[in-house]
Amino acid sequence: MYSTHQFIAECYFASRPEMCPYPFQLKTTTTVACSRSFQEDRIWLNGKEEDINQPRLQSCLREIRRLARKRRSDGEGGVDLAGLSHKVHICSVNNFPTAAGLASSAAGYACLVYTLARVMGVEGELSAVARQGSGSACRSMYGGFVQWIMGQREDGKDSVAQQVEPETHWPELRILVLVVSAERKPVGSTSGMQTSVETSSLLKHRSDSVVPARMKEMIDAVHRKDFAAFAELTMKDSNQFHAICLDTYPPIFYLNDVSRHIINLVHHYNQHYREARVAYTFDAGPNAVIYTLQQHVDEFLQVVKHFFPPETNGGQFVKGLPVASTTLTEELRQAIGMEPMVKGISYIISTKAGPGPCIVEEPSQHLLGSDGLPKESA
Amino acid sequence: MYSTHQFIAECYFASRPEMCPYPFQLKTTTTVACSRSFQEDRIWLNGKEEDINQPRLQSCLREIRRLARKRRSDGEGGVDLAGLSHKVHICSVNNFPTAAGLASSAAGYACLVYTLARVMGVEGELSAVARQGSGSACRSMYGGFVQWIMGQREDGKDSVAQQVEPETHWPELRILVLVVSAERKPVGSTSGMQTSVETSSLLKHRSDSVVPARMKEMIDAVHRKDFAAFAELTMKDSNQFHAICLDTYPPIFYLNDVSRHIINLVHHYNQHYREARVAYTFDAGPNAVIYTLQQHVDEFLQVVKHFFPPETNGGQFVKGLPVASTTLTEELRQAIGMEPMVKGISYIISTKAGPGPCIVEEPSQHLLGSDGLPKESA
């Protein structure tokens, strides 16, 4: 006998200061099953079995089991007694490239922790647990605009996420993910950040002085729905994050020539209109996350298509929320004045801020079959 | 009647902290003539007449003329009285790409100020004058290892250059200039640095805290000829300079994918030997300046040739000081473990620290003919 619970957690994009909307179209789906018949804990990621003994995975499993035992000994209801002694099978898929700076590990760990907690009957604040899997996973535990509070404690236990505004707060805000490359990034973001802490002489100044001030301004910009302020903070902070990566020794590079081309394109576009209509942010990879308002989406997509002509291999260039075709004016094209870069962008995901983790009720969508093993399609 | 004086000043490469050796093979040659028959001040750069009214050029001209008049009124000898009222013709050529982050304006202004001063009979400390043309030109007034002192005064008049060691101090030190692209850089380095001062929130911390400490360590490393310390400081400081460029708003990019490939190559090479045998530094452009010791030059050049296979168009790939061919071991090739990048580097200049400006006595090498106009070859 076994039980299956499945949840979908949306992936989250980090615009530092650590607060930003989830994109709606990027999903991690995770199914967790536990059964007396399982011999050991196992995990499958994107169709491939992975090592369950990875330290960060073990931290999350151990912590959820500890919380479940605590609940049982506290006599709280709703605890699945069986789940505590049984082994688990975990199956998780992302519908977007993994390890390409699209926060796949954040989405993955958030979804995993949320799902495990449901299976084991754990409730309450889970972002501190998710953070043990991947720092930024704590943010992915909520929808809409989320801030990651730095905390004061040495052990980091007060470093948790808080929702600033739900996803319904700013419906005009749109997100375009420009997928530059699905190649695996050379440095995982966790080890990269650790090296930065050890070697960058600028990081301390950034975290002590720059980020706290920007965080206040960012929360204020989101509350007021002030796109220009939101955009400038987002871009400056993305750039400063990558500056710190470069100040790390040996240096870490996530941006490539295509990323830089996108950055220049956004600045030229904004300069033409003399206002920040579009913003970029880059996480630990070359892919750009673009923010803009509903009324500018169609035009800006035309601009992107013109300056990054898609390969004509029949694949869909823009996925996700529908966009309308418009004509790019000659004036705008000349004002931007850059050389088109063929094949720079492989595809675009058109999306907007999404909700936090949700339960998938429909059994046909669960990833583990009745034998506790991944279905063919998972 | 007119007089011609000609001088050659060597170009200089900025390894921040602001001290580094001149490469010997990169030259700016400048001829200045003054004559009663000249109707106006004129300047030719690399074969093309340019606007003499550029503010920075005018600053240098005005300042040298002021110093010359001062010398004359102080009754000091050697002043060419005629030159003071006459117009000048200036002709200058670089034997390396201009405006590609190879400090061409530094070499150019240093050479111009030195030559003008000779023509007008001005002597003494000229680096403060050269600095008015291009900040880093003050360093190019000396050979060997030069530091640029920040100074305390608001007007910057105490911001001058000082020789730390002459070019003969460390003869084993070699320089390889990897010329990535001769394209003009998108942002001139002077305007770029001004925008950084206005917008980078990390720059002040760098200039107040990081640079002064590194400067002391760098001078010490040069005195001791400690290559490992020199190399690490050079690389860290180059990276931090480019980090500040990225923290500028809008961001400034000088490094491209080829530059990053070179940086990774150097770190992989050093990691293989578990010591810093090679260092890179990048100025305001994608071209790398590599420092290494004599005993490693041949091997490292083989590594560069392997991972950046030259185009087989008959051009010379390595120019300047001769290098010996060696065989790259399979072990080293595998340890570096990168994909070769075809056409990444167009050519290499093999050189070493050179002297400061020198006078060219040989009239056949002067750039202006007896009519005061550029010779066909200039």
Side-chain angles (χ1 to χ4, degrees):
Chain A
M1 204 194 116
Y2 68 93
S3 60
T4 303
H5 294 251
Q6 181 173 27
F7 305 90
I8 292 186
E10 305 286 332
C11 165
Y12 163 79
F13 285 103
S15 155
R16 281 158 228 87
E18 306 296 4
M19 183 184 60
C20 215
Y22 279 39
F24 195 72
Q25 311 293 322
L26 305 190
K27 287 178 185 173
T28 295
T29 307
T30 300
T31 300
V32 171
C34 59
S35 164
R36 197 171 13 170
S37 68
F38 295 166
Q39 301 296 306
E40 53 185 353
D41 294 335
R42 295 176 73 179
I43 186 165
W44 292 263
L45 297 178
N46 298 311
K48 190 167 160 281
E49 181 155 16
E50 300 280 347
D51 181 12
I52 192 82
N53 293 311
Q54 295 167 57
R56 296 193 277 154
L57 206 49
Q58 286 294 318
S59 285
C60 293
L61 270 168
R62 200 165 43 236
E63 186 64 11
I64 291 288
R65 284 177 167 143
R66 189 185 68 77
L67 291 171
R69 271 193 303 274
K70 184 165 177 297
R71 270 182 81 85
R72 187 169 57 173
S73 67
D74 292 352
E76 293 190 49
V79 180
D80 183 336
L81 297 175
L84 282 181
S85 54
H86 293 167
K87 300 297 182 185
V88 295
H89 281 189
I90 301 163
C91 187
S92 186
V93 295
N94 295 320
N95 72 344
F96 60 96
T98 300
L102 289 173
S104 55
S105 68
Y109 277 107
C111 198
L112 173 70
V113 166
Y114 187 86
T115 316
L116 275 175
R118 289 294 297 231
V119 169
M120 307 215 180
V122 174
E123 286 171 8
E125 215 295 303
L126 292 168
S127 77
V129 184
R131 208 184 55 75
Q132 298 185 24
S134 172
S136 49
C138 65
R139 288 173 305 202
S140 298
M141 298 302 287
Y142 301 95
F145 299 81
V146 183
Q147 68 166 313
W148 182 4
I149 295 163
M150 203 186 288
Q152 307 287 332
R153 287 173 53 166
E154 268 299 304
D155 65 6
K157 289 217 168 135
D158 57 347
S159 172
V160 295
Q162 245 174 23
Q163 191 180 59
V164 171
E165 291 282 2
E167 63 275 19
T168 50
H169 166 68
W170 198 352
E172 303 80 15
L173 189 72
R174 288 288 306 275
I175 300 172
L176 299 169
V177 183
L178 312 188
V179 179
V180 164
S181 158
E183 288 165 27
R184 292 184 79 85
K185 62 198 181 192
V187 181
S189 52
T190 305
S191 69
M193 196 40 79
Q194 190 51 39
T195 313
S196 296
V197 170
E198 287 158 12
T199 64
S200 166
S201 53
L202 300 178
L203 177 58
K204 195 170 153 31
H205 179 68
R206 164 167 164 77
S207 56
D208 288 356
S209 308
V210 181
V211 169
R214 282 191 181 157
M215 194 71 158
K216 282 203 187 75
E217 290 179 68
M218 181 60 109
I219 290 173
D220 193 48
V222 169
H223 284 321
R224 286 185 290 116
K225 297 192 266 189
D226 177 345
F227 186 79
F230 171 83
E232 188 172 324
L233 282 166
T234 298
M235 293 187 277
K236 282 186 171 174
D237 217 68
S238 172
N239 294 336
Q240 193 171 87
F241 166 70
H242 293 282
I244 296 297
C245 292
L246 190 45
D247 189 47
T248 299
Y249 188 80
I252 298 166
F253 302 109
Y254 294 123
L255 306 180
N256 65 18
D257 285 349
V258 180
S259 318
R260 285 197 299 280
H261 213 70
I262 294 169
I263 290 174
N264 287 333
L265 180 68
V266 169
H267 285 293
H268 290 181
Y269 182 81
N270 289 340
Q271 274 154 14
H272 175 66
Y273 287 112
R274 293 162 200 267
E275 65 176 5
R277 292 191 174 183
V278 175
Y280 54 79
T281 183
F282 295 82
D283 204 330
N287 305 299
V289 175
I290 299 288
Y291 298 109
T292 188
L293 294 173
Q294 183 68 47
Q295 72 252 43
H296 306 309
V297 167
D298 297 339
E299 184 184 74
F300 188 71
L301 264 173
Q302 287 303 318
V303 169
V304 172
K305 280 183 186 171
H306 177 78
F307 289 100
F308 294 93
E311 283 191 275
T312 52
N313 59 3
Q316 205 185 349
F317 191 55
V318 182
K319 304 175 184 189
L321 298 180
V323 288
S325 252
T326 61
T327 312
L328 182 57
T329 66
E330 186 56 28
E331 184 200 359
L332 179 56
R333 191 155 55 206
Q334 286 189 359
I336 291 172
M338 291 167 59
E339 281 296 308
M341 189 183 229
V342 182
K343 298 186 201 175
I345 294 174
S346 54
Y347 64 93
I348 295 172
I349 302 164
S350 164
T351 182
K352 59 180 182 170
C358 332
I359 301 172
V360 177
E361 303 285 3
E362 174 54 38
S364 69
Q365 287 184 35
H366 294 180
L367 302 174
L368 292 169
S370 55
D371 56 355
L373 295 174
K375 293 179 184 171
E376 289 270 319
S377 56
Chain B
M1 205 193 115
Y2 68 95
S3 61
T4 304
H5 294 250
Q6 181 173 28
F7 306 88
I8 293 186
E10 305 286 329
C11 163
Y12 163 82
F13 286 103
S15 155
R16 281 160 229 83
E18 306 295 6
M19 185 185 57
C20 215
Y22 279 40
F24 193 72
Q25 311 292 324
L26 306 190
K27 287 179 184 171
T28 296
T29 307
T30 301
T31 299
V32 171
C34 61
S35 164
R36 196 172 16 171
S37 67
F38 294 166
Q39 301 295 307
E40 52 186 353
D41 293 335
R42 294 175 73 179
I43 188 166
W44 292 264
L45 298 178
N46 298 312
K48 187 165 163 280
E49 182 157 14
E50 299 281 348
D51 181 12
I52 191 82
N53 293 312
Q54 294 168 58
R56 297 193 278 154
L57 206 50
Q58 286 294 319
S59 284
C60 292
L61 269 168
R62 199 165 42 235
E63 186 63 11
I64 290 288
R65 282 175 167 144
R66 190 186 67 77
L67 291 172
R69 272 193 302 274
K70 185 166 176 298
R71 269 182 81 84
R72 188 169 57 174
S73 68
D74 292 351
E76 293 190 51
V79 180
D80 183 336
L81 295 174
L84 282 181
S85 53
H86 293 168
K87 300 297 182 186
V88 294
H89 282 190
I90 301 163
C91 187
S92 186
V93 295
N94 295 319
N95 73 343
F96 59 95
T98 299
L102 288 173
S104 55
S105 68
Y109 277 107
C111 198
L112 172 71
V113 166
Y114 186 87
T115 315
L116 276 174
R118 290 293 299 228
V119 170
M120 306 213 181
V122 174
E123 285 170 10
E125 216 296 303
L126 292 169
S127 77
V129 183
R131 207 184 54 76
Q132 298 186 23
S134 171
S136 49
C138 65
R139 290 174 304 202
S140 298
M141 298 302 285
Y142 301 96
F145 299 81
V146 182
Q147 68 165 312
W148 181 4
I149 296 163
M150 203 187 290
Q152 307 288 332
R153 287 174 52 165
E154 268 300 304
D155 64 7
K157 291 220 167 132
D158 57 348
S159 172
V160 296
Q162 246 174 19
Q163 191 179 59
V164 171
E165 291 282 3
E167 64 275 17
T168 50
H169 166 67
W170 198 352
E172 304 80 17
L173 189 73
R174 288 289 306 275
I175 301 172
L176 300 170
V177 183
L178 311 188
V179 179
V180 164
S181 159
E183 289 165 26
R184 293 183 79 85
K185 61 196 181 195
V187 181
S189 54
T190 305
S191 68
M193 194 40 75
Q194 189 53 39
T195 314
S196 296
V197 169
E198 288 157 14
T199 64
S200 166
S201 52
L202 300 178
L203 177 58
K204 194 171 156 25
H205 179 69
R206 164 166 162 78
S207 55
D208 288 355
S209 307
V210 182
V211 170
R214 281 192 181 159
M215 194 71 159
K216 281 202 188 75
E217 290 180 68
M218 182 59 112
I219 290 173
D220 193 47
V222 168
H223 284 321
R224 286 185 290 115
K225 297 193 269 188
D226 178 344
F227 186 79
F230 171 82
E232 188 171 323
L233 281 166
T234 298
M235 292 187 276
K236 283 186 171 174
D237 217 68
S238 171
N239 294 335
Q240 193 171 87
F241 165 70
H242 293 282
I244 296 297
C245 292
L246 190 44
D247 189 48
T248 299
Y249 189 79
I252 299 167
F253 302 110
Y254 294 124
L255 306 180
N256 66 18
D257 285 348
V258 181
S259 319
R260 283 198 298 283
H261 213 68
I262 294 169
I263 289 174
N264 287 333
L265 180 68
V266 168
H267 285 293
H268 290 181
Y269 183 81
N270 288 340
Q271 275 154 13
H272 174 67
Y273 286 112
R274 291 162 200 268
E275 65 176 6
R277 291 191 175 183
V278 174
Y280 54 79
T281 183
F282 295 82
D283 204 329
N287 305 299
V289 176
I290 299 287
Y291 298 109
T292 188
L293 294 173
Q294 182 69 47
Q295 73 251 43
H296 306 310
V297 167
D298 297 338
E299 185 186 72
F300 188 71
L301 264 173
Q302 287 303 318
V303 169
V304 171
K305 280 182 186 170
H306 177 79
F307 290 99
F308 295 93
E311 282 190 276
T312 53
N313 60 4
Q316 204 185 349
F317 191 54
V318 182
K319 305 176 184 188
L321 297 181
V323 287
S325 252
T326 60
T327 313
L328 183 57
T329 65
E330 185 57 29
E331 185 201 357
L332 179 56
R333 191 155 54 204
Q334 285 189 1
I336 291 172
M338 293 166 59
E339 281 296 308
M341 189 182 229
V342 182
K343 298 186 201 173
I345 294 174
S346 55
Y347 64 94
I348 296 171
I349 302 163
S350 164
T351 181
K352 58 181 184 168
C358 333
I359 301 172
V360 177
E361 302 285 3
E362 174 55 39
S364 69
Q365 288 185 35
H366 293 178
L367 303 174
L368 293 168
S370 56
D371 56 357
L373 294 173
K375 294 178 183 172
E376 288 270 318
S377 57

